[in-house]
Amino acid sequence: MSDLDRHKIITDLLRERSFASVRDLQELLGVSAATIRRDIDKLDEIGVARKVYGGISSSQGAASNRLSARPYDENRDIAVEAKRAIAECAETLVRDGDSVIVHAGSTCYYLGIRLARRNVRIYTNSMPLAAHLGEHGTCQVTLAGGDLYREPGIVHAVQDGKPAYFASKFFLGTQGISSEGLLESHPLLVKAISELSLCSDEIVVLADSRKFAIRPRNIVLPLSRIGTLVTDDGLSDTNARMLEDAGVNIIVASTSGERK
């Protein structure tokens, strides 16, 4: 890959995110830290982006039209009622004795809390969920191995490939949804989700209806890979038809006390 190719990938990424660390870019581009630092120096020199501590940031003039993932702590407190209702519905899909994968993310966290004292085995790469299960749970827990990435809040081993774990269901959230599939802006989430998607009988997406209006750049999984999507009663008829046409089973969690 040439210098120009790498520079284009980095600048494209910064249209979606305000910051990328040296490690993020190493994983995305498959080159050394020294190469990434030279790329950062060059992009800073020509004014395309700004060199900052630990990585690279978009230039201030490009920031206004960017769509990026919110930090976990901020996202956790958005649409809480819908997320809890979705988690309540999702729990009914888990049987006693099941082995399930619960991915990082705020809606999955609420599901994990509900499963904490169930007779199930949970595999998770979420540090917040692992901490809760360790302190408050009685279920069996298997933790992902690897390095801690504080944003997006997961534990991941970049070089290991898919884990030696198989589950009946893989529960995950998503930053955005379109007719093309599940969408994410963080390259590490794209990699982690792709690997875990090979480790279960069924993929279950937990996503409140806001996610259908968000359009990150990276396609993680096509809709054809999704078995079930659990959302709230803000789901539009148009988006419901899109999911049904792709063969996705829809469960709608009502935020008004009744479940559809």
Side-chain angles (χ1 to χ4, degrees), residues 9 16 45 87-88 102 113 148 156-157 208 242:
I9 291 171
E16 302 166 3
E45 178 186 334
E88 182 180 357
V102 181
I113 289 175
L148 170 61
H156 184 71
D208 62 82
M242 175 185 74

Side-chain angles (χ1 to χ4, degrees), residues 31-193:
V31 296
S32 69
T35 298
I36 293 299
R37 290 190 181 98
R38 286 195 296 271
D39 290 336
I40 290 174
D41 287 342
K42 183 62 177 178
L43 293 171
D44 180 76
E45 178 186 334
I46 64 179
V48 172
R50 291 187 299 123
K51 180 179 178 180
V52 296
Y53 179 78
I56 190 169
S57 176
S58 60
S59 60
Q60 299 236 327
S64 59
N65 295 322
R66 184 175 303 102
L67 179 62
S68 60
R70 296 175 184 269
Y72 175 83
D73 287 344
E74 180 181 343
N75 190 52
R76 181 185 56 198
D77 298 326
I78 296 173
V80 172
E81 182 182 2
K83 290 174 181 178
R84 286 177 172 160
I86 289 167
E88 182 180 357
C89 280
E91 186 192 3
T92 66
L93 302 177
V94 180
R95 298 174 296 181
D96 284 346
D98 270 352
S99 293
V100 298
I101 301 169
V102 181
H103 191 51
S106 55
T107 310
C108 288
Y109 177 81
Y110 288 117
L111 171 62
I113 289 175
R114 299 189 68 88
L115 297 175
R117 295 188 175 274
R118 291 277 304 274
N119 177 27
V120 296
R121 186 175 191 90
I122 297 175
Y123 176 99
T124 188
N125 56 3
S126 165
M127 283 303 297
L129 178 56
H132 179 89
L133 296 176
E135 185 173 355
H136 303 289
T138 57
C139 63
Q140 297 181 66
V141 182
T142 299
L143 302 181
D147 295 328
L148 170 61
Y149 296 83
R150 290 179 175 83
E151 284 299 333
I154 68 172
V155 176
H156 184 71
V158 175
Q159 314 236 331
D160 285 354
K162 69 175 185 176
Y165 184 93
F166 199 83
S168 60
K169 292 180 175 65
F170 171 30
F171 292 95
L172 74 154
T174 185
Q175 189 185 350
I177 307 172
S178 75
S179 59
E180 296 179 304
L182 306 185
L183 308 172
E184 291 286 350
S185 59
H186 200 298
L188 185 60
L189 285 177
V190 175
K191 188 175 191 306
I193 291 170

Side-chain angles (χ1 to χ4, degrees), residues 18 69 137 154 165 178 206 211 213 219 257:
S18 60
I154 68 172
Y165 184 93
S178 75
L206 311 183
K211 302 299 180 71
I219 301 171

